[in-house]
Amino acid sequence: MFNRVVTSAFIVLSTVAIAGDAFAHAHLKASMPADKSMVAAAPKTLNLSFTETLNLKFSGVEVTGPDKAVVKTGEAALSDKDTGLTVPVLGALPAGDYTVKWHVLSTDGHKTSGSFGFVVKP
């Protein structure tokens, strides 16, 4: 009986610890432009908001446009109490589909990455 209780307690504590680690990662919670949005005017900056504070040195984005052409961006900066990443878009964006691939390192050392897309109307 005692072994069963100890084993059950270990399983519960392990599950809680693993779940806690998963919640410590910086996940994208919002972006401007928003994922799957259609914008009338090409954005001059990209704003990404995360669930954790970020380490700027190891965080960034790559933007690709129509025909998979890489879009030139400026240097990223932290915003929103270091949970936001603001990236200037250099030059004009022609009409078409765009993909933003992001990668971040939260200040607790966890790496995450993902992508979202938007469309610039003709």
Side-chain angles (χ1 to χ4, degrees), residues 38-82:
M38 189 171 287
V39 296
K44 298 290 182 196
T45 58
L46 302 173
N47 294 296
L48 290 74
S49 179
F50 293 89
T51 56
E52 300 286 327
T53 55
L54 305 176
N55 181 325
L56 180 59
K57 186 175 179 180
F58 299 102
S59 301
V61 302
E62 179 184 78
V63 182
T64 54
D67 299 325
K68 305 288 184 209
V70 175
V71 173
K72 193 169 185 178
T73 58
E75 216 164 299
L78 293 176
S79 58
D80 298 324
K81 298 180 183 175
D82 296 346

Side-chain angles (χ1 to χ4, degrees), residues 105-120:
L105 177 69
S106 59
T107 54
D108 63 4
H110 292 110
K111 297 177 187 178
T112 53
S113 62
S115 65
F116 66 91
F118 64 93
V119 176
V120 175

